């Protein structure tokens, strides 16, 4: 789910290339890139080890979720450690628009390790505060405007880390006909499943449906109830409540949120899938968070979202 993290070399690349570089002995060597190769190798090794540690820890959660379907996980927040935060940071889009804090990916990377230690400490002390999402609108095909919430960088980073932990549980619980916003699944897989169903069974109706303004109207109360079927870690539930209640910043004013979860927030697709899993179960359906010619449930996705999140 995460892309290979990369970081710029610490020194400037020499502007003059080596002449006849293909010869065994170069006749005119250019200025060397002091230490760049060694640092890059060290960074790559460190991140590989970091990824292995995180993967092993989450695999244990995944195995427990697979074998104990009724268990409530009471100790999850400790998995949100600096290793996972670092991986989550490098998985963010480098050129995404900044949120209400105005902080870009490049700004945060400047003092990354210090920033991650500070964020980790605030999360585990309970002093972390979610910022309101910055409101932006993109046009829909029918002429209406779709509201998007652009989260602050630390909110996006922390949400991605929490999603990694929760996916270890919910990917073992979600049903096979659910395709929207799930790792390794897409609308193409949903269409394949639909085609198989049509070919193997007698089908009288194909329903193309969409929940109107789903992300804007989802009930916080019911969403938390559904989460608590599996999540017994009160600290993690409080963290999710902070994101739900953070509100949006629009034209300089903060609008408090009583319902809904920002469309465009990193954690919103998983929250939508949890809500649908418990709140709208069904059979012989293809659940997909998008408007395509298939039996669908969920809020419509839009290509325009990609430029904001």
């Amino acid at each position: 789910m995460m892309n290979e993290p990369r970081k710029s070399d610490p020194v400037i690349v020499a502007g003059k290339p080596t002449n006849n570089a293909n010869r065994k002995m170069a006749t005119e060597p250019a200025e060397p890139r002091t230490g760049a190769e060694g640092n890059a190798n060290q960074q790559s090794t460190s991140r590989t080890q970091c990824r292995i540690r995180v993967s092993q820890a989450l695999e244990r959660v995944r195995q427990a979720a697979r074998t104990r379907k009724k268990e409530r996980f009471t100790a999850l927040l400790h998995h949100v450690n600096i290793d996972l935060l670092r991986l989550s940071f490098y998985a963010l889009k480098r050129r995404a628009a900044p949120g209400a804090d105005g902080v870009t990916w490049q700004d945060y990377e400047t003092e990354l390790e210090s920033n991650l230690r500070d964020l980790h400490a605030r999360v585990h002390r309970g002093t972390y505060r979610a910022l309101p999402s910055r409101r932006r609108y993109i046009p829909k095909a029918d002429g209406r405007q779709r509201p998007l919430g652009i989260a602050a960088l630390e909110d996006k980073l922390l949400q991605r880390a929490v999603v990694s932990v929760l996916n270890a549980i919910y990917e073992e619980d979600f049903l096979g006909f659910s395709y929207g916003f799930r790792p390794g699944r897409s609308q193409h897989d949903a269409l394949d499943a639909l085609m198989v169903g049509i070919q193997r069974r007698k089908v009288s109706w194909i329903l193309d449906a969409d929940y109107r303004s789903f992300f804007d109207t989802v009930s916080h109360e019911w969403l938390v109830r559904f989460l608590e079927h599996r999540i017994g870690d009160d600290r993690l539930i409080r963290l999710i409540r902070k994101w739900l209640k953070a509100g949006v910043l629009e034209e300089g004013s903060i609008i408090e949120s009583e319902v809904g979860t920002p469309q465009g927030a990193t954690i919103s697709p998983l929250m939508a899938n949890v809500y649908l899993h418990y709140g709208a179960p069904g059979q012989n359906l293809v659940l997909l968070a998008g408007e395509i010619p298939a039996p669908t449930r969920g809020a419509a996705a839009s290509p325009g979202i990609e430029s904001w999140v």
Side-chain angles (χ1 to χ4, degrees):
M1 181 175 69
M2 298 181 183
N3 296 326
E4 176 68 17
R6 291 176 292 182
K7 189 174 181 179
S8 301
D9 289 335
V11 295
I12 299 175
V13 178
K16 183 179 179 181
T18 301
N19 292 338
N20 301 325
N22 59 328
R23 297 181 182 178
K24 185 174 182 180
M25 294 294 292
T27 59
E28 187 180 345
E31 182 180 351
R33 299 171 62 188
T34 307
E37 183 178 353
N39 288 343
N41 290 338
Q42 184 177 5
Q43 291 167 2
S44 176
T45 301
S46 176
R47 290 175 195 161
T48 299
Q49 294 172 344
C50 171
R51 186 175 293 103
I52 291 173
R53 290 193 297 270
V54 169
S55 178
Q56 290 174 343
L58 295 184
E59 179 59 29
R60 290 192 291 271
V61 175
R62 187 175 294 108
Q63 290 176 359
R66 183 183 305 128
T67 57
R68 302 194 289 272
K69 292 295 187 180
K70 300 296 183 180
E71 180 166 333
R72 297 179 71 236
F73 291 81
T74 57
L76 289 174
L77 191 62
H78 73 277
H79 290 291
V80 181
N81 53 33
I82 293 179
D83 282 345
L84 181 55
L85 291 174
R86 186 183 299 110
L87 291 176
S88 299
F89 172 77
Y90 280 109
L92 297 176
K93 294 182 179 179
R94 271 66 163 170
R95 298 184 179 181
D101 57 351
V103 177
T104 65
W105 188 94
Q106 290 76 16
D107 294 335
Y108 203 81
E109 189 195 28
T110 303
E111 299 290 340
L112 179 61
E113 294 305 317
S114 175
N115 289 334
L116 293 180
R117 287 192 298 269
D118 178 63
L119 174 60
H120 178 265
R122 283 183 281 125
V123 168
H124 288 268
R125 287 198 309 264
T127 59
Y128 162 83
R129 294 292 179 266
L131 294 179
S133 297
R134 187 161 64 94
R135 175 71 82 206
R136 283 294 181 271
Y137 293 89
I138 60 172
K140 298 179 66 174
D142 60 6
R144 294 181 297 165
Q145 296 287 309
R146 182 189 308 283
L148 295 182
I150 307 173
L153 190 133
E154 278 196 338
D155 292 336
K156 285 192 286 189
L157 158 61
L158 185 54
Q159 286 179 23
R160 180 173 282 273
V162 169
V163 166
S164 297
V165 175
L166 295 183
N167 269 342
I169 299 171
Y170 287 112
E171 280 302 305
E172 299 299 327
D173 289 356
F174 289 152
L175 302 177
F177 53 70
S178 171
Y179 289 88
F181 296 117
R182 291 184 59 190
R185 293 187 168 214
S186 70
Q187 65 269 31
H188 303 293
D189 300 309
L191 285 172
D192 289 343
L194 179 65
M195 181 60 66
V196 170
I198 293 173
Q199 291 175 342
R200 294 184 179 180
R201 305 183 63 174
K202 181 180 179 180
V203 176
S204 300
W205 295 88
I206 296 179
L207 176 64
D208 181 1
D210 174 60
Y211 279 129
R212 179 180 298 174
S213 301
F214 176 81
F215 285 103
D216 298 330
T217 58
V218 63
S219 166
H220 292 176
E221 179 185 358
W222 278 105
L223 175 56
V224 170
R225 285 190 187 185
F226 295 148
L227 287 167
E228 288 176 339
H229 280 296
R230 286 293 247 167
I231 311 304
D233 190 330
D234 291 337
R235 297 178 302 166
L236 194 57
I237 293 295
R238 283 196 297 269
L239 189 58
I240 293 173
R241 284 185 184 274
K242 288 179 181 181
W243 290 322
L244 293 176
K245 298 294 185 182
V248 296
L249 179 65
E250 185 170 5
E251 297 182 353
S253 299
I254 297 178
I255 304 173
E256 295 183 355
S257 301
E258 297 298 330
V259 295
T261 179
Q263 189 166 352
T266 306
I267 202 165
S268 291
L270 177 58
M271 296 296 97
N273 280 336
V274 170
Y275 198 96
L276 291 171
H277 178 74
Y278 291 103
Q283 296 181 355
N284 301 325
L285 292 170
V286 177
L287 267 64
L288 177 68
E291 292 177 356
I292 64 170
T296 65
R297 290 185 179 183
S302 170
I305 294 177
E306 291 297 323
S307 62
W308 292 105
V309 299

